[in-house]
Amino acid sequence: PDVTYENVKFFSLIYFLNPLQAIRMFLETGMGVYSFGHMSRLLEAFMWTKPVFFLFGNLLVWLIVSFASALLFNRKEGYE
């Protein structure tokens, strides 16, 4: 009873931040392993956008995080 659309959307966003899950879902839908024509209501709510958007969003987030952490932790102040 505590499962709402917003909870499912938040969980799917966190779930697909894992690159392996995003790539797996993208490949399975692209190769036709999963057909979204006969989905349950929970899976339909879980996939609130196309898998390609999860994949590109994931790649973009991790690319930005990696560059930002490289810039942040590679500061060489006072080093000549």
Side-chain angles (χ1 to χ4, degrees), residues 1 4-5 16 20 22 26 28 30 35-36 41-42 47 51 54 58 64 67 70-71 73-74:
T4 63
Y5 177 73
F16 284 113
L20 294 176
F26 175 73
E28 287 174 348
S35 172
F36 288 139
R41 286 183 172 245
L42 182 62
M47 293 301 300
F54 278 121
N58 190 327
I64 290 170
F67 276 116
L71 289 174
F73 294 121
N74 198 20

Side-chain angles (χ1 to χ4, degrees), residues 6 9 15 32 45 48 50-51 56 62 64 73-75 80:
E6 293 301 320
K9 193 173 176 181
Y15 180 77
W48 48 272
K50 293 182 180 183
F56 288 139
W62 285 111
I64 290 170
F73 294 121
N74 198 20
R75 298 272 182 202
E80 294 183 24

Side-chain angles (χ1 to χ4, degrees), residues 10-71:
F10 177 72
F11 177 76
S12 65
L13 183 67
I14 298 300
Y15 180 77
F16 284 113
L17 278 178
N18 180 355
L20 294 176
Q21 297 300 333
I23 291 171
R24 181 186 61 87
M25 185 58 74
F26 175 73
L27 290 176
E28 287 174 348
T29 56
M31 291 188 291
V33 175
Y34 279 148
S35 172
F36 288 139
H38 305 291
M39 294 190 303
S40 68
R41 286 183 172 245
L42 182 62
L43 183 59
E44 194 172 294
F46 189 68
M47 293 301 300
W48 48 272
T49 188
K50 293 182 180 183
V52 70
F53 294 134
F54 278 121
L55 180 66
F56 288 139
N58 190 327
L59 293 174
L60 184 68
V61 164
W62 285 111
L63 187 67
I64 290 170
V65 166
S66 65
F67 276 116
S69 63
L71 289 174

